[in-house]
């Protein structure tokens, strides 16, 4: 089979029969609802880039499983070069969409399971790796999107899964049946869930023996019975519902997360990749975290590129681009953005080969990368708003510009330097607003903090991965102890 | 006459016959339109606090003009204590509304004109100060709100007002008539404009002789012919239009700015406070800036209090409040917030008496205060989002919680620690979203950068006000030069 | 009796018969040893300023105890104005000496004991306050310096004083005798100890009942038997010993700390101000901390002034002062420095009257002030070094400039812009080196972190003093809970 | 010929007959003078590491010029792997010495000239590249150290070299002779100059036609007539001269810079690599800057490792290592340190092949790396001092500990947790003092700002290298312009 085109992907979403609620109402098709369409179109862009001549080679590669050319978003990385190319592809996608395009969590999760199922099989003689390779063949051959479902609702964070008053606060096995298992629980913040063909479910934390029923990993089709999707609300999301949605800022793309509820869902045996091997939950989470934290030094950097570009553009439109402080702030924005990218590239460059043959990034540098991602976008956003000016949040709607009575005022008084049309000026400003305060801020700001794990999670990993013992030994030697 | 009650103020707004456009349509009454009502209610709170027993003494004082008790928001400060009490009152209002309550720009502008009209008269024998005192008597006796209209549309920022291709890019006198003048232009970002009874118009920058027609200051009733208000759009502003507007975050209050167009507006002589005395435009701008930059160390700190409170509350609701890193971040948020307040208090404590008898804050410290305000709210917001968790931007609408099919899922899986109801948890999160990404972010984030002048304006003033010469002399002495 | 002149103070130090060790050897007189003389001269400057016409009124005030005019460094503050004037005096001293001038820890400790002895007496009917007032009369009448001895050696920080393996790790009563007590232990980091006439010893932490013997406060003359001073070593301290000490940077002044050992020292009853009232140890420490943390927003700001002045001077000497980035960094340095000052001024302006009648600063703002002091000097120092250039640490000694063979090279190639003499250039650079990397860095950098308590101590106090409950209540109200 | 051993290198330095002045006096041998010996020993460590079994393969490689195994510090990098291995080697050296070991500026300069001489020859048909390859064969075969002499004394920074009043403020050709040229001028801040066998001299800035005489690059033996070295003074440098130099902190190693004066020095034709090709001065400077800025993400990170190790060690010795804030600060120090390393690794990973065949790092990422290096060490140093405690700058000399009278006090009261000996505690503290305030701070702090170019130089390069045009295009597309 071949890779899907963008159009085929969009059709495939229309064809999905899954239960999705948006703003309190069930919807028919995610690509036909104005709120959920832009996120689907961001995902669709991962297909289109693979089609294009100029980016196609970057977005495709030969599968080590099927031997066919596949979309790189479905590829198991098998070299340091693969790791680096993924980071660069993610930046490119960030530049194209200025948004979370939702396909990398699944990619990182597949790379994780490829390695971890191998390790589990080595330890316990289980058949998971082979099953998972079969699953990958299905994904690659059909060019499907799979969503990574990791974060549980968690209940009381001070208690382990099995200690919760409500046992369903973590997804778990409620019944073993012939040919499969039945699971229950809810996964939160699931990126791209409603735009995916398959859901991959994995544990969200290290587990101990008494949490055995929670040590479960599997994949199911998105339409599986018992699965419900509740779409997450975003700032300014309903601008897309307005009659003339000119104030949306980013005209084409969105990002989305959903709460995914598993209400006694059946999982067939061939789709189970972990069942009770609790000691591998921790390693799975850490490997996924490393992969995904490095990813953030790709995608967010691409969004940063767009924000920097918009900021440079508004400075020119408003005639402030030659001020020393504006130039200095733009250089600082670039500096911070590239520092994020450097973290990801370095983690790829220092990657290693896992026992399965798949490659993984250096975990210390991946965590360092992500910890910077939790910080710098706020600084970059602050500087973007600084250069944009207060008009960013006080300007009229583009609807006012279209009004016959006051439109002329808007056109006259919001004109830019050298006759830059007020519409152009407002559109750039709306894009900056979108990324720093609107639907795009979900991707660029809050998600930069929490996606792939919160800052404290990175601090903990950095503490564990830092080699303080050898550093102390050096210090002792130098001062004569 | 007495101070107005909150209800009288709201009635007075209903009675206003001014031309206001919101989202492309003219509206009847700002207090009856769901988008513009919350800002009016924030302003109304300045009246209510003066009525209340517990805050009344803080919000009222005796006028040195009328001799009557007046709302402190109309007071000309006449002592260091007055300066300090204003800052504390602004913080209190910030705490009460979590928003820009819009009445301090007018207050700061009145204090500025009181001093500057006196100085102009001393220099030129003009009658402005007496006129302005009459105006103040009107304001104080009727307990009116006046909006400060300062920032012009500016056209090409590299050119002075008189050099612009379109001469109207700064408000200017287009005609002198018997008994008054006619003015044209537009003022942007005018805080509380649509909720005010009077508009005070002043220049926005230092002017030279050729800009004489732009050296104009005056006050006119909000309903004056030729004045049009175009309401500024904000992130998530239309959540207030939703059927069940439970996702607004801040249930009661809003802030607002408008573009105010002066299309050949007549100003009677007795309301003119500057006409051609261009050399006083610079001092006026600087004095207003000092007053207003100090104000930001009051109001924004109050909003910061609410954000810190909401963050502490969500940490408890989610059971993370005992983590060392959460406690450390909360302490850091308090630290940054109080640093902002310290700047304002210090500028008040080191204030000075102007020639007019009115007091003004220390300009260096006021600029230092504001420069910190342009930075710390972004850090505080980042830490608030860090503690809140990713759920801040991925959670369902409260409408989903009310839906009979999925409401049970929302209630079950978004429950907080120790049975904290999901509604409570969501409501706190929506408030944090409001302040850091929604309508409140206009006040707390972008406006903290640009209100009262952008960071570079503060840097320039700090450079001018710093006494480097005496510092160099000290250094030379100590190293033996 | 009258205030001492600078000369009288220096003579009084020569007359002191105390046991002082510097760099491994006992010395005769602190003012005659080249390493310890500059700190004594910094202290002496507190006397000289009181003599001078231009600063005399600022440095003197009328005592509420003796009724005479006294040096403000011995004054018990009795008004908000007193609190503010102290801060301003400390900044002035910082500007004069670019160093820790060592007289404010004693001042802050005296103000603390004045209030706390009153409170103890109220609680227990003890006679401490009267004794302390007598002591103050002695200090004020003779214009003496008293050193505050607070920080103990502490042993294992995880254990309380009475739990230590070596009981002497905190100063404690080892014997009660007729007419007094005998104490043992060591106090570390004692600022100005070797330049003081009296030592005031107080506990360093909150104590519980089992630590009763450690709850001891007293004052003894510096020469008391059993007291030994071990002078602290500083970076580049021995440049003062060089034949031609032209590379010292700061030609006149130094700062110093010493370890003070109390080896079975007798304290007469009339000099005991706390003996066993362990519950007041905590309040004493906190009150001292508040006073002293605010002080840092005075003295360090003055040192900052000198560093900023030196930096502006070297930029001019090297011809870089017109670069936009240099101007921006200088403005930033001023901004940070004034932010520190604002914290201290605000804490004074929001001060309060204690039960004793003495005034104290607002503790929350004092801690906020100090926490900024632990951070900004490193940023200011970094920017100073940035503007100074690498020559700061690679330039030859002034001795090389005097060498007949290579002096001409140094003069030719280190000349500044417009013929600024190389000696002038080098001297300014040496001053910057002194403050950021030499003896002055002890005062300006490390001591800014640790003096008056380390950053974490401030974080803890900020957490305790922050009113999160009322902030939460505001938040709940606004989101409808 | 073979690589030198450490001992052979030290002997070779003894044999050098060059004119070196230290602290105003000419010295005989840099390895026999206590002030200049430690820097020589740091350099010597680059030889020793190549000898050792565990690091030998990392420090040696096969030359593409001679075909022999050589020390990597003399290697022309010919692959991406070479670029990365260099960075890792530099970090290792930083860990071993906690200091600038002085051999990488020469290495980076050789790699630069290899590429630039090739380009000049291509443009002008000159014979420079062949000459330079011969020079490299000499360096590699004899395993020599070459110092890069770049920064001129510069005079008035606002003027170009040829516009200076004193034409010698930039090194230039003063005479052309048969078989060579005569040059005059002075190079400042020359790292390792006195420990080198050869001096490589290159221009320090872009040049224009009228600066033709300043467009000169060459190499000469360190002992050449007319060359004088004036050793740079460092904080606490004379602790090495003390009788019992136990307070030096770093017992073995130092770093050093010198001013190198060229007083009519003859350069033979075969050692000239640029003569008048002014248009290549700019590219040469930029290529060197890129190489050397990336190097800082190696060496300084190694020093950071030692500082972090010492800080972790002192926390344990003092019993504070389990405090949450101490653990958090250590993690933050590691995070910042690794962020620096990531920048260097990324610039190597994204390197490119020059026309000469040699490889160069990505210039944007190299500048980004270095800009972070100008900032983070100050933060790391602040945290190190925070954890070390005030004792860092108030503790007695180790001489006091040896004194029979007070030694027992020092031993008793400076004991660490669980009986950690006071000497061990003091030694660790002295190492931290050394790196943050002593001779080591020259390398770790000031040099991190200025070495390889000051922060503003990086900002300028980042501005030039950033691709804002494509970023703007993305932004325009997304907002519909």
């Amino acid at each position: 089979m071949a890779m899907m085109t963008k159009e085929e992907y969009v059709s495939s979403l229309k064809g999905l029969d899954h239960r999705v609620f948006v703003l309190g109402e069930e919807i028919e098709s995610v690509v036909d609802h104005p709120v959920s369409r832009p996120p689907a179109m961001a995902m669709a862009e991962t297909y289109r880039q693979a089609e294009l001549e100029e980016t196609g080679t970057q977005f495709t590669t030969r599968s080590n499983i099927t031997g066919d050319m596949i979309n790189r978003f479905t590829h198991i990385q098998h070299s340091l070069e693969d790791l680096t190319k993924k980071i660069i592809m993610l930046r490119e996608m960030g530049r194209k969409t200025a948004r979370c395009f939702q396909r990398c969590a699944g990619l990182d999760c597949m790379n994780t399971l490829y390695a971890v199922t191998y390790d589990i099989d080595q330890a316990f003689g289980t058949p998971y790796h082979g099953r998972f390779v079969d699953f990958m063949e299905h994904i690659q051959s059909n060019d499907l999107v799979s969503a990574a479902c990791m974060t549980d609702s968690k209940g009381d964070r001070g208690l382990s899964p099995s200690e919760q008053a409500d046992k369903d606060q973590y997804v778990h096995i409620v019944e073993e049946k012939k040919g499969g298992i039945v699971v229950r629980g809810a996964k939160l913040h699931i990126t791209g869930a409603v735009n995916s063909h398959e859901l991959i479910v994995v544990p969200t934390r290290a587990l101990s023996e008494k949490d055995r029923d929670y040590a479960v990993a599997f994949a199911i089709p998105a339409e599986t019975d018992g699965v419900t999707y509740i779409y997450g609300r975003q700032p300014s999301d309903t601008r897309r519902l307005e009659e003339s949605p000119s104030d949306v800022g980013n005209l084409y793309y969105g990002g989305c997360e959903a709460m995914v509820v598993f209400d006694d869902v059946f999982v067939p045996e061939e789709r189970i990749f972990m069942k009770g091997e609790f000691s591998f939950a921790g390693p799975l989470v850490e490997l996924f975290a490393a992969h995904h934290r490095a990813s953030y030094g790709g995608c967010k950097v691409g969004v940063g590129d767009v924000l920097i570009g918009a900021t440079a553009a508004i400075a020119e439109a408003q005639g402030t681009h030659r001020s020393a402080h504006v130039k200095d702030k733009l250089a600082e924005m670039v500096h911070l953005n590239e520092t994020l990218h450097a973290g990801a590239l370095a983690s790829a460059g220092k990657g290693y080969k896992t026992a399965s043959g798949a490659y993984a990034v250096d975990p210390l540098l991946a965590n360092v990368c992500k910890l910077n991602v939790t910080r710098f976008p706020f600084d970059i956003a602050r500087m973007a708003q600084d250069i944009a000016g207060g008009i960013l949040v006080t300007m009229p709607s583009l609807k006012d510009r279209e009004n016959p009575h006051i439109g002329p005022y808007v056109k006259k008084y919001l004109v830019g330097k050298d006759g830059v049309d007020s519409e152009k000026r407002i559109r750039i400003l709306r894009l900056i607003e979108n990324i720093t305060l609107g639907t795009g801020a979900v991707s660029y700001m809050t998600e930069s903090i929490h996606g792939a794990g919160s800052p404290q999670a990175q601090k903990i990993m950095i503490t564990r991965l830092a080699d303080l013992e050898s550093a102390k030994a050096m210090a002792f030697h130098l001062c004569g102890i």
Side-chain angles (χ1 to χ4, degrees), chain A:
Chain A
M1 266 163 286
M3 286 176 272
M4 275 201 258
T5 63
K6 173 183 164 184
E7 283 66 31
E8 288 168 342
Y9 167 68
V10 172
S11 296
S12 76
L13 286 188
K14 273 184 204 273
L16 273 187
D17 181 28
H18 53 358
R19 193 185 186 218
V20 180
F21 288 79
V22 175
L23 296 175
E25 293 181 6
E26 190 165 0
I27 64 167
E28 278 298 303
S29 152
V30 291
V31 286
D32 293 326
H33 189 287
V35 166
S36 58
R37 180 176 177 80
M41 297 316 289
M43 182 78 88
E45 196 65 23
T46 65
Y47 289 89
R48 197 174 78 94
Q49 293 299 319
E51 294 178 64
L52 295 176
E53 201 171 336
E54 62 270 36
T55 48
T57 56
Q58 193 182 344
F59 278 70
T60 59
T61 189
R62 189 162 301 280
S63 167
N64 66 311
I65 293 171
T66 67
D68 295 328
M69 288 305 288
I70 56 170
N71 190 305
R72 189 177 285 281
F73 274 103
T74 65
H75 183 50
I76 301 301
Q77 291 121 33
H78 266 75
S79 67
L80 292 182
E81 201 187 352
D82 269 352
L83 295 174
T84 298
K85 283 188 168 174
K86 186 197 82 167
I87 300 297
I88 291 169
M89 174 178 73
L90 299 186
R91 181 173 184 168
E92 192 61 31
M93 276 302 299
R95 290 167 67 92
K96 288 289 190 305
T97 60
R99 204 54 56 102
C100 171
F101 39 85
Q102 315 145 53
R103 204 174 177 183
C104 68
L107 170 60
D108 292 331
C109 193
M110 292 186 290
N111 274 272
T112 299
L113 276 172
Y114 188 91
V116 173
T117 52
Y118 183 91
D119 293 342
I120 300 177
D121 289 0
Q122 292 296 310
F124 297 113
T126 43
Y128 300 138
H129 189 65
R131 289 181 190 169
F132 189 74
V133 171
D134 291 346
F135 173 71
M136 282 310 304
E137 195 174 339
H138 166 66
I139 292 289
Q140 291 181 344
S141 303
N142 297 287
D143 199 4
L144 302 178
V145 175
S146 56
C149 300
M150 180 174 255
T151 312
D152 289 282
S153 53
K154 289 186 183 168
D156 184 334
R157 285 157 186 246
L159 303 176
S160 79
S162 57
E163 292 165 355
Q164 300 288 329
D166 176 357
K167 301 297 182 199
D168 303 339
Q169 293 296 336
Y170 287 79
V171 167
H172 62 129
I173 303 170
V174 290
E175 189 185 349
E176 301 222 22
K177 275 189 169 165
K178 191 169 153 60
I181 56 175
V182 177
V183 298
R184 192 188 302 148
K187 294 286 190 178
L188 305 187
H189 330 299
I190 306 310
T191 302
V194 300
N195 303 326
S196 297
H197 308 99
E198 294 275 349
L199 303 179
I200 306 178
V201 177
V202 292
T204 197
R205 46 170 288 174
L207 299 170
S208 64
E209 184 155 11
K210 61 190 192 308
D211 305 315
R212 190 180 286 274
D213 288 344
Y214 297 84
V216 60
F218 57 85
I220 51 173
E223 302 157 301
T224 303
D225 274 357
V227 178
T228 303
Y229 303 81
I230 309 175
Y231 199 86
R233 158 134 248 204
Q234 300 185 332
S236 297
D237 48 8
T238 53
R239 285 201 190 170
R240 293 173 185 155
L241 296 173
E242 295 176 10
E243 220 173 315
S244 140
S246 44
D247 288 331
V248 293
N250 183 329
L251 300 194
Y252 313 114
Y253 304 114
C256 67
E257 283 83 27
M259 179 171 159
V260 183
V261 182
F262 299 84
D263 198 352
D264 290 355
V265 172
F266 177 75
V267 182
E269 201 168 76
E270 67 272 19
R271 284 297 192 85
I272 298 173
F273 311 129
M274 172 189 283
K275 198 183 87 185
E277 297 81 6
F278 59 86
S279 60
F280 281 90
L284 180 151
V285 171
E286 282 181 26
L287 182 57
F288 173 75
H291 271 302
H292 205 41
R293 287 169 192 174
S295 290
Y296 273 55
C299 62
K300 301 306 179 199
V301 178
V303 181
D305 284 337
V306 176
L307 182 55
I308 291 167
T311 305
I314 197 65
E316 287 176 23
Q318 296 178 162
T320 58
H321 56 302
R322 288 207 188 78
S323 300
H325 79 97
V326 170
K327 287 194 286 186
D328 184 71
K329 283 165 191 161
L330 279 167
E332 185 66 25
M333 291 165 80
V334 171
H335 168 67
L336 294 175
N337 202 40
E338 297 294 338
T339 298
L340 302 182
H341 199 45
L345 291 176
S347 74
K350 277 193 72 177
Y352 66 98
K353 187 176 187 172
T354 66
S356 70
Y359 272 62
V361 295
D362 180 80
L364 176 57
L365 289 170
N367 277 281
V368 163
C369 168
K370 174 68 207 318
L371 188 52
N372 283 323
V373 174
T374 69
R375 299 171 178 180
F376 295 171
F378 275 75
D379 292 322
I380 295 172
R382 179 171 48 77
M383 286 184 272
Q385 293 193 2
D386 183 347
I387 292 172
I391 194 71
L392 184 72
V393 292
T394 69
M395 67 184 161
S397 167
L398 276 166
K399 295 180 221 316
D400 292 299
R401 194 178 174 278
E402 293 152 17
N403 177 295
H405 302 293
I406 55 171
Y409 290 147
V410 174
K411 289 171 190 163
K412 175 183 175 75
Y413 290 116
L414 291 188
V415 70
K417 183 181 164 72
D418 299 334
V420 168
D421 186 78
S422 61
E423 184 179 352
K424 178 174 177 182
R425 187 178 170 200
I426 294 175
R427 280 178 179 273
I428 304 170
L429 289 165
R430 285 275 170 242
L431 178 58
I432 297 174
E433 183 203 19
N434 177 296
I435 299 176
T436 64
L437 291 168
T439 54
V442 171
S443 294
Y444 191 58
M445 304 197 46
T446 318
E447 190 178 290
S448 288
I449 299 177
H450 291 289
S454 302
Q456 187 61 10
Q458 282 108 65
K459 274 273 174 84
I460 289 167
M461 287 308 296
I462 289 169
T463 298
R464 279 172 48 190
L465 295 165
D467 181 9
L468 291 186
E469 289 312 311
S470 81
K472 280 192 286 185
M474 290 292 168
F476 286 143
H477 169 67
L478 289 168
C479 65
I481 298 173

